Amino acid sequence: MSLLPAVLAHGQFGHLPPTQEKDQNFLTEERLRLAVEASGLAVWEFDLATGKPVWSRELKLLMEWPEVLPVMDEVFWNIVHPEDRDIVVAAYDAMLGGDAQGYHLEYRYVLPLSGRTLWVAEWARLVRDSDGLPIRVVGAVKDVSKRIEAEERLRLAAEHDALTGLYNRAAFKERLRQACDAGHEYSLVLVDLDDFKQVNDTLGHDAGDQLLLAVAKRFRAACPDSTMARLGGDEFALLLEAGGDPDEVAGHLMNSLDSSLEIKSNRFAVHCSIGTASSSVAGKSPESLLRAADLALYAAKGAGRSRAAAFAPEMLARVERRSAVIATFREAVALEQVEPHYQPKVDLRSGDVVGFEALARWVHPDRGTLTPQAFGDAFSDATSMLALGRAVCRRAATDMRSWLDAGLRFGRVAINISPQGFAVPGIAEIFVAHFAEQGVGPELLEVEITENVLVEGHACQAAEVLRRFKEAGVQIALDDFGTGYASLIHLKRFPIDAIKIDRSFIADMERDRSDSAIVAGVIAMAHSVGLSVIAEGVETDRQAAILREAGCDHAQGFLFGAPMPTVAIPGFRSNRPLDRASSRGHEPRLPSGNR
């Protein structure tokens, strides 16, 4: 049996009382009518015995019910929204079936005259006689459209990014979770704009916001059927249901940025990097899919940006290995298992030892002494690099103090400072003060830096740090010269005392005349601007001779000595400087500043 709304009109609460009680009941009913009107309720009644519904005037007005029309079941159902009819019928049948004494629903009317959709709240209750038999249903209806609309606006604001109108991170993750719970196959596409920071730095954050909005519009136009979100900053995400091809979508997104965007009368060529992952490969949980797509995005950026990469299981294995190495290495630093070994630098003319370079070594309790090849993954971790820098400086200061106490002449000791170290406030003063505590003066120190310190958007900060080192009396050497970017500019802009020619040029000098010519040119150029030159990775007498003929000042490599622990330094210094080291193995190529 379906629900037929009816009026609880004046005089319809039941049989009229005896004549002597009419006046009193009239006042009671009038008060009730006024209270109902004040509450905004429209009331109705349905007599179960006669099947007769009665509607109040307020309910007819609410429903735009023409006065000339009778109250008919089939007409009423044209007013209830088609999608809501089943829940209304189910609630009414449950009440009449004894499963409930009443119900409270919120559903929609489609008004017959204006065509508007109206949200209403309806309360209904079953009335029984003295024998407990149901005799009528009474109810009330209230227009709650404004509340529903306000709640919808709040929901939209809570779920959508205020700038682009796309889903925000929280809402997108919830939709990702719903897709996961449904058990279907799905794919995730993560997009990151390349070099977006340049727009903010050049034109300000307002321009950056305009660019993000323009990109979001292009993405929506390129993939209109995808669930799309702005996860934050310049990162976007798309969720593809079963059948969606992530590679095809990635192509559409990249193509949508083929033409430049005009922002504040400036045109910008915008590119993006994309990582994709499918649940069939990455796993069924939202967390695993997000992690997989993020790894793929990282791989796309690492491969040169402006490209797409799909997740492969070996990406996760690689990251897990990296995490394990970082965790183990941090523990090794805390246990003081990491210490500097010292490789000599010699004067190519006199053969004298002019200094040493402190190189990190992990003295593993089971695996022996490990070079940075074994813990190279830690070089990308800022926390590990800062801890390593502190450990090497602490131990080097102690070692140098012991050499001074023993009367050993060792020249300058070079310490590598990582890019992360340059971000430490007051690093130059901290560095010099640390050695001063051991009575080691700045004239015995040299810092080695790589070009990535100078070109990664922190050139002004790097210049100030280097200036402070220079003023303190510490020499500065530019490592891996010739392998980075715009090296000649660096020689002009920064207070550098020496350059180190990378071992990749030294290794083939004997066989490749072009390498010899490059090395000779670099040496001549450095001398012309007053810099000294150090050659790395010298392993043969012939290499040393070529360098000597080209005018190279200093050299280091296995020809003159392998990196050695501090206990070996006194014995090494007691021999002739050019005595060959017993080991002639190749010192492995290491990440910047940490060989």
Side-chain angles (χ1 to χ4, degrees), residues 15-33:
H15 298 290
L16 291 176
T19 302
Q20 62 270 25
E21 297 180 2
K22 283 184 179 180
D23 291 342
Q24 181 64 39
N25 283 345
F26 175 79
L27 292 175
T28 300
E29 292 178 7
E30 183 66 13
R31 293 189 189 101
L32 179 58
R33 185 184 65 80

Side-chain angles (χ1 to χ4, degrees), residues 238-377:
L238 291 84
L239 177 63
L240 310 179
E241 301 293 341
D245 185 345
D247 293 335
E248 181 179 347
V249 168
H252 290 329
L253 295 174
M254 286 188 164
N255 292 338
S256 72
L257 298 179
D258 277 349
S259 59
S260 60
L261 294 167
E262 183 172 344
I263 306 295
K264 288 189 174 181
S265 301
N266 292 272
R267 298 204 70 83
F268 288 92
V270 182
H271 304 283
C272 63
S273 298
I274 298 177
T276 66
S278 63
S279 58
S280 59
V281 177
K284 301 293 187 181
S285 73
E287 293 78 15
S288 64
L289 195 67
L290 278 167
R291 186 183 186 191
D294 200 49
L295 289 174
L297 177 60
Y298 182 80
K301 285 183 171 292
R305 301 188 175 190
S306 300
R307 65 192 66 205
F311 171 75
E314 55 266 26
M315 293 179 181
L316 180 58
R318 188 161 53 245
V319 168
E320 289 176 343
R321 287 195 301 269
R322 175 181 176 272
S323 298
V325 168
I326 290 173
T328 307
F329 182 73
R330 287 185 183 180
E331 183 179 1
V333 173
L335 294 174
E336 298 184 346
Q337 294 175 358
V338 179
E339 61 184 40
H341 282 203
Y342 301 93
Q343 185 170 36
K345 299 178 183 180
V346 303
D347 185 305
L348 281 172
R349 290 296 176 186
S350 67
D352 291 339
V353 174
V354 294
F356 292 86
E357 181 181 2
L359 300 168
R361 294 294 184 264
W362 180 355
V363 184
H364 196 282
D366 301 319
R367 299 167 60 190
T369 300
L370 305 178
T371 68
Q373 274 191 333
F375 51 92
D377 286 329

Side-chain angles (χ1 to χ4, degrees), residues 547-560:
L547 290 167
R548 191 178 300 111
E549 291 170 5
C552 185
D553 302 290
H554 305 139
Q556 69 183 93
F558 278 26
L559 176 66
F560 311 110

Side-chain angles (χ1 to χ4, degrees), residues 161-209:
D161 173 52
L163 175 64
T164 63
L166 302 176
Y167 283 119
N168 58 27
R169 177 181 289 273
F172 186 78
K173 290 183 71 174
E174 178 58 29
R175 274 145 188 79
L176 189 60
R177 185 168 298 282
Q178 291 171 2
C180 173
D181 293 342
H184 303 308
E185 295 291 335
Y186 54 97
S187 299
L188 179 62
V189 178
L190 290 186
V191 187
D192 194 81
L193 302 185
D194 297 331
D195 302 320
F196 171 71
K197 185 177 182 294
Q198 291 182 2
V199 178
N200 281 339
D201 292 344
T202 305
L203 298 179
H205 289 279
D206 287 344
D209 287 347

